[in-house]
Amino acid sequence: MITLALSKGRIFEETLPLLRAAGIEVLDDPEKSRKLILDTNQPDVRVLVVRATDVPTYVQFGGADMGITGKDTLLEHGSDWGGAGNGAGLYQPLDLDIAKCRISVAVRADFDYASAVRQGSRLKVATKYVAIAREFFANKGVHVDLIKLYGSMELAPLVGMADAIVDLVSTGNTLKANRLVEVEHIMDISSRLVLNQAALKLKREPMRKIIDAFASAVGKV
Ligand code: PRP
């Protein structure tokens, strides 16, 4: 049995064509079903529906053999597990080039970010990406007080709780709708395939087949 951990929403949607390329059809729609383990047309392949931030954890601890998760999530997970790098020993064979977006710093349109930075002001920054934000501002030599949030970061500058946010930007519509402007582009993000290393040793053949099908579907072979 091969178990793949996926999160609902954009990553799930954009993974379906890759699974199809590997001959795998998921038989339930996670938006409609309450099931957390989804069957596929392959009796020996199943999909776990987990929170996006939990995908690396399921793969790291062997709850899933493989998973698909954003670079943002991997970087934050790696820092929780003491690794400076990407995702604490998870094997990452492939950038799938899906769910592409960026991590940016955004502020209220009436906040003069450039002069606050120039003057060496201490900034209050709200984010769910604490590790990424800490490293970015440390490299820039800007002192920050980080406020951890779990979603709707855009609210924090609007209610005066933070000067800036660090968040994912895709179309930019959420920022625009909340009158925020992007002032720094921290990094580009896409989703990666991650593997449990012990599973790869035990189930090398069937896992290789899926990895190779994904690789050729994203044009990387
Ligand atoms: C992400 C992000 C922004 C939004 C950006 O939120 O946190 O709020 O998408 O997309 P846009 O630039 O296309 O408007 P998501 O919907 O993933 O939910 P979240 O609040 O749980 O992060």
Side-chain angles (χ1 to χ4, degrees):
M1 177 66 74
I2 301 293
T3 304
L4 172 71
L6 287 179
S7 54
K8 280 200 257 189
R10 207 166 142 206
I11 290 180
F12 191 91
E13 294 305 319
E14 295 190 23
T15 297
L16 291 179
L18 299 176
L19 287 172
R20 234 165 258 141
I24 301 165
E25 294 282 344
V26 183
L27 300 179
D28 282 296
D29 177 353
E31 300 298 341
K32 293 189 185 129
S33 164
R34 304 288 297 174
K35 276 197 213 165
L36 299 174
I37 301 180
L38 308 181
D39 292 328
T40 72
N41 64 336
Q42 308 284 328
D44 53 353
V45 179
R46 61 182 184 170
V47 171
L48 303 188
V49 181
V50 305
R51 285 281 296 264
T53 45
D54 292 336
V55 168
T57 308
Y58 273 86
V59 177
Q60 184 178 351
F61 291 99
D65 302 310
M66 53 210 307
I68 295 176
T69 184
K71 181 180 172 188
D72 51 325
T73 305
L74 279 170
L75 288 170
E76 291 294 322
H77 178 83
S79 87
D80 285 350
W81 286 90
N86 281 354
L90 292 169
Y91 179 44
Q92 278 187 67
L94 205 53
D95 179 352
L96 298 170
D97 273 338
I98 58 169
K100 287 167 114 171
C101 54
R102 56 192 182 271
I103 290 198
S104 296
V105 181
V107 298
R108 275 167 61 142
D110 59 2
F111 180 77
D112 191 346
Y113 174 80
S115 60
V117 167
R118 222 173 16 246
Q119 287 161 17
S121 311
R122 198 172 180 95
L123 296 180
K124 277 186 281 176
V125 178
T127 187
K128 115 171 137 186
Y129 302 104
V130 172
I132 293 169
R134 183 178 294 120
E135 188 181 347
F136 173 75
F137 286 109
N139 286 338
K140 219 177 138 64
V142 172
H143 293 288
V144 290
D145 292 317
L146 294 171
I147 302 171
K148 168 91 183 184
L149 291 176
Y150 293 86
S152 303
M153 268 77 81
E154 294 83 3
L155 273 175
L158 303 182
V159 296
M161 195 164 86
D163 303 308
I165 61 170
V166 168
D167 195 10
L168 294 181
V169 181
S170 174
T171 60
N173 290 339
T174 309
L175 291 182
K176 208 178 292 165
N178 293 291
R179 296 167 189 262
L180 299 178
V181 291
E182 216 172 335
V183 288
E184 304 259 21
H185 174 158
I186 300 183
M187 67 176 80
D188 288 322
I189 297 294
S190 57
S191 286
R192 317 288 162 112
L193 181 65
V194 290
L195 307 178
N196 177 285
Q197 303 199 1
L200 185 61
K201 285 198 188 112
L202 292 170
K203 308 177 189 178
R204 178 166 283 278
E205 267 315 296
M207 282 176 73
R208 263 280 142 225
K209 258 177 64 187
I210 296 174
I211 298 162
D212 290 348
F214 282 3
S216 61
V218 294
K220 291 198 173 161
V221 280

